[in-house]
């Protein structure tokens, strides 16, 4: 079994947790009201991706002189960071396309559920090893929403297709990003503790992403009741 196959098997054991949360969101009777909150929350997560990778790249540079894994990971991040730059603007454009205020995500304090996802990445990068981030990236980019699911979301909400460009673009791009990512993981001279760390981070991210979805649903319900 390759390193990436081992990691993906771990992820796929818990992915039903996230899939169930997403299904609850999409099948909610008021999904049209939920989608703007989903976009706002997505922006809070997406805008943190590049800063987290930049911090990981800094740690790789610190460790690289005596750490082959950090050196190889640094090479990957230097190529991947430009590929992810600006994706938060795609989400803002989607918000505007459905009639929302694209600056709304910047005005709001991200909820604890979002801070837990992003904060755990910083902690492990700074206080353990940046290789952990590969587990998180595999969850984020290795399992993009399928086109049929996105088409269903468009139909259920009645919003214009231009309000789903972030999802539609990632459904196409992440197929290639996944291939490059898994190739990188397999090329690194990973030892058992590296593989275990990636797996722990990946499992943590799946569970916390499910919490993010459930939390945004709770917020929408509370606002509707108020």
């Amino acid at each position: 079994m390759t390193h990436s196959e081992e990691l993906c098997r771990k992820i796929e054991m818990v992915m039903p947790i996230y899939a169930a949360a997403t299904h609850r969101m999409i099948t909610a009777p008021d999904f049209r009201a939920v989608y703007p909150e989903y976009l706002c929350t997505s922006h809070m997560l997406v805008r943190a991706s590049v800063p987290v990778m930049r911090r990981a790249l800094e740690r790789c540079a610190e460790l690289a002189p005596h750490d082959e894994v950090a050196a190889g990971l640094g090479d990957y991040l230097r190529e991947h960071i430009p590929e992810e730059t600006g994706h938060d603007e795609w989400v803002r454009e989607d918000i505007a396309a459905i009639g929302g205020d694209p600056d709304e995500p910047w005005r709001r304090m991200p909820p604890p559920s979002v801070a837990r996802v992003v904060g755990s990445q910083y902690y492990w990068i700074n206080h353990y090893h940046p290789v952990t981030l590969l587990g998180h990236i595999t969850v984020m980019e290795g399992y993009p929403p399928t086109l049929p699911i996105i088409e269903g979301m468009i139909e259920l909400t009645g919003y214009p297709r231009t309000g789903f460009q972030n999802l539609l673009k990632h459904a196409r791009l992440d197929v290639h990003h996944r291939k490059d990512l898994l190739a990188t993981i397999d090329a690194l001279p990973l030892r058992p503790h590296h593989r275990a760390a990636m797996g722990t981070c990946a499992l943590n991210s799946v569970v916390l992403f499910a919490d993010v979805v459930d939390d945004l649903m709770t917020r929408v319900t509370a606002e509707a009741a108020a």
Side-chain angles (χ1 to χ4, degrees):
M1 187 185 303
T2 66
H3 302 327
S4 65
E5 288 172 343
E6 178 186 9
L7 177 60
C8 290
R9 286 193 181 187
K10 291 178 180 178
I11 293 171
E12 285 156 14
M13 286 191 297
V14 297
M15 189 56 77
I17 297 172
Y18 177 68
T22 303
H23 180 74
R24 287 193 294 272
M25 176 181 70
I26 294 174
T27 58
D30 58 345
F31 181 54
R32 180 181 171 86
V34 171
Y35 187 64
E37 183 64 26
Y38 169 79
L39 287 177
C40 189
T41 304
S42 294
H43 184 272
M44 294 173 182
L45 288 166
V46 173
R47 74 191 191 212
S49 296
V50 169
V52 167
M53 287 191 287
R54 284 176 177 158
R55 178 56 193 143
L57 180 57
E58 291 171 352
R59 282 286 289 145
C60 286
E62 294 167 7
L63 299 173
H66 53 82
D67 187 326
E68 289 183 316
V69 171
L73 174 57
D75 291 340
Y76 167 76
L77 290 173
R78 273 187 286 273
E79 290 187 7
H80 192 53
I81 287 172
E83 294 175 339
E84 294 298 312
T85 300
H87 289 196
D88 54 325
E89 287 302 305
W90 294 355
V91 183
R92 293 182 72 250
E93 290 167 4
D94 285 354
I95 293 172
I98 66 170
D101 182 350
D103 293 329
E104 177 65 17
W106 287 113
R107 285 194 290 268
R108 290 168 49 180
M109 178 180 176
S113 60
V114 170
R116 284 191 288 269
V117 175
V118 179
S120 58
Q121 308 313 312
Y122 280 115
Y123 186 87
W124 281 320
I125 289 167
N126 287 319
H127 301 290
Y128 184 60
H129 195 288
V131 75
T132 54
L133 186 60
L134 288 175
H136 178 68
I137 295 175
T138 302
V139 172
M140 286 196 72
E141 300 187 16
Y143 300 87
T146 64
L147 289 175
I149 289 177
I150 301 170
E151 294 293 346
M153 294 170 69
I154 296 172
E155 182 177 353
L156 286 168
T157 62
Y159 288 125
R161 191 178 189 82
T162 50
F164 295 81
Q165 291 305 303
N166 176 61
L167 291 174
L168 290 166
K169 289 176 181 178
H170 277 102
R172 295 188 295 269
L173 291 175
D174 284 347
V175 173
H176 304 290
H177 288 175
R178 174 188 170 96
K179 181 179 178 181
D180 293 342
L181 172 62
L182 299 186
T184 295
I185 291 172
D186 289 335
L188 291 174
L190 301 176
R191 298 176 64 185
H193 68 280
H194 294 125
R195 301 198 304 271
M198 287 193 310
T200 296
C201 183
L203 300 181
N204 178 73
S205 292
V206 172
V207 173
L208 292 186
F209 278 136
D211 288 345
V212 167
V213 174
D214 286 337
D215 181 51
L216 75 87
M217 291 290 292
T218 300
R219 290 198 302 274
V220 171
T221 301
E223 291 171 5

